[in-house]
Amino acid sequence: MAMITVFRASISRSLPNCFPNLLSSSSNRNSAPKKNKLLCYAASSHTKTIRSEMSFCIGTHMIPHPKKVERGGEDSFFVSDYNGGVIAVADGVSGWAERNVDPSLFPQELMANASCLVGDEEVSYDPQILIRKAHAATSAVGSATVIVAMLEANGKLKIANVGDCGLRVIRGDQVFFSTSPQEHYFDCPYQLSSEIAGQTYLDAVVSRVEVMEGDTIVMGSDGLFDNVFDHEIVSTVVGHSDVAEAAKALANLASIHSMNSEFESPYSLEARSKGFDVPFWKKILGMKLTGGKLDDITVIVGQVVKSQHISLLNEDQTVEAHTEQENKLES
């Protein structure tokens, strides 16, 4: 049975996870020894088949909006070791608070439903169908942007995205693939909603990417991508060999930028490009709109790793040997 964990930000935290072993606590520093599993039978002759399978080694970190720390923020996410691994983030729309609705409830339930449906036969390991079924099962009032990525053992990464959560695939020192945000207009993203007027799974942008061993996947809510440029994401990932430390560093960098009123963030650059700026008299003085965007920040960093399965076939007997690479689990 696949192991699944669903999270809501209650404090700043890191979760390292090397599939297939899921670590749900970040309070201790652990090192998992190298594991060699060998199941064999005596055989006088056999045929050997070697197949390589891709999976994720995951690190996560969440930092709530400074004014929402006590409530835990409005982001939610889950990670699963099903197949090659599944990761997902949902970002609650804060505007519901004006209607006395807790914006965190909808994304929490959405992610909980998605985590339960990962292995569903009808979902058939399709992130768009997973979004459809999870949304249909969600009864909470509210709305959220959402992104889901599923890694197949053959290295195919399938992504479905509604709104402005994002994902980057980093290969070497470059961004190999990037999702694009969906917006009705500036600062109003597409979103799944409890209301009929919202978007559905049919509005999701679906992508398929062939990943390789050593590629790094960075997924996050807009709290990351509004405050950290792609080149900063690349340099941070390259500078940290441990995925949990990389996730923590990216979240901390986004938090620092979000509180810097002089930083020319991706958010302020987009705002100016859409016609939002300081008053005309400030422009005359050479001033311009700058600063990051205060928000909940969720970061998932996944490194693509490869394991080899050796099958030895002798008449109607099957012998399997599976060697897993050494995994470091840190918080």
Side-chain angles (χ1 to χ4, degrees):
M1 180 180 293
M3 301 179 68
I4 299 168
T5 303
V6 184
F7 296 90
R8 174 192 174 190
S10 56
I11 58 173
S12 172
R13 77 170 98 182
S14 291
L15 171 77
N17 172 33
C18 289
F19 296 120
N21 300 307
L22 185 64
L23 181 66
S24 59
S25 172
S26 61
S27 58
N28 298 314
R29 181 179 297 271
N30 300 306
S31 178
K34 187 173 183 180
K35 300 179 181 179
N36 296 292
K37 298 180 182 178
L38 183 63
L39 304 175
C40 57
Y41 300 89
S44 57
S45 63
H46 57 259
T47 301
K48 180 170 68 175
T49 302
I50 301 176
R51 67 184 188 277
S52 295
E53 294 187 352
M54 300 292 189
S55 60
F56 279 139
C57 183
I58 298 290
T60 74
H61 202 80
M62 303 179 75
I63 302 177
H65 187 293
K67 294 183 179 180
K68 304 173 185 177
V69 173
E70 292 184 359
R71 302 195 306 274
E74 295 157 4
D75 283 359
S76 185
F77 75 93
F78 81 87
V79 297
S80 168
D81 68 346
Y82 188 80
N83 205 336
V86 183
I87 55 178
V89 173
D91 180 357
V93 176
S94 59
W96 284 95
E98 299 174 4
R99 304 188 194 181
N100 295 319
V101 173
D102 184 346
S104 69
L105 298 181
F106 185 90
Q108 285 180 50
E109 187 180 351
L110 182 69
M111 289 291 92
N113 289 333
S115 70
C116 293
L117 290 164
V118 163
D120 184 81
E121 183 177 353
E122 186 180 348
V123 170
S124 189
Y125 214 61
D126 184 326
Q128 190 176 25
I129 301 304
L130 180 62
I131 288 175
R132 175 178 69 82
K133 297 202 69 174
H135 187 197
T138 300
S139 59
V141 175
S143 57
T145 61
V146 61
I147 186 168
V148 178
M150 295 175 156
L151 179 62
E152 295 185 340
N154 61 9
K156 291 181 181 178
L157 183 67
K158 300 186 289 188
I159 307 155
N161 181 39
V162 178
D164 58 3
C165 291
L167 180 145
R168 307 288 186 268
V169 177
I170 299 171
R171 181 167 297 169
D173 59 355
Q174 296 182 6
V175 174
F176 174 73
F177 170 82
S178 174
T179 59
S180 298
Q182 298 169 293
E183 292 183 323
H184 296 287
Y185 49 86
F186 177 68
D187 222 16
C188 182
Y190 281 24
Q191 54 203 262
L192 301 181
S193 176
S194 58
E195 305 295 308
I196 298 177
Q199 279 67 59
T200 73
Y201 75 102
L202 294 173
D203 297 295
V205 174
V206 178
S207 308
R208 287 173 173 78
V209 186
E210 295 280 350
V211 296
M212 301 168 51
E213 181 181 17
D215 285 352
T216 300
I217 285 77
V218 176
M219 176 184 284
S221 58
D222 64 329
L224 170 65
F225 299 106
D226 280 343
N227 291 298
V228 182
F229 289 98
D230 279 0
H231 69 86
E232 295 177 300
I233 293 175
V234 171
S235 62
T236 301
V237 167
V238 171
H240 293 81
S241 58
D242 178 82
V243 287
E245 290 301 317
K248 182 178 180 179
L250 283 171
N252 286 337
L253 181 61
S255 180
I256 291 170
H257 284 344
S258 72
M259 294 182 283
N260 185 349
S261 61
E262 297 181 356
F263 177 64
E264 281 206 88
S265 65
Y267 181 76
S268 62
L269 288 177
E270 183 185 1
R272 295 208 305 266
S273 72
K274 299 293 176 63
F276 296 90
D277 210 335
V278 296
F280 182 72
W281 67 269
K282 288 188 176 182
K283 286 186 178 182
I284 295 176
L285 297 176
M287 301 172 68
K288 59 184 177 182
L289 181 67
T290 59
K293 179 189 177 185
L294 287 173
D295 204 349
D296 298 317
I297 299 164
T298 297
V299 182
I300 301 177
V301 176
Q303 186 173 45
V304 179
V305 296
K306 181 189 292 185
S307 59
Q308 287 190 335
H309 294 254
I310 305 173
S311 297
L312 307 178
L313 305 178
N314 177 40
E315 296 180 353
D316 52 357
Q317 289 183 323
T318 299
V319 184
E320 289 195 358
H322 177 205
T323 301
E324 301 172 357
Q325 75 173 52
E326 182 177 2
N327 296 325
K328 286 187 177 180
L329 305 180
E330 294 185 339
S331 62

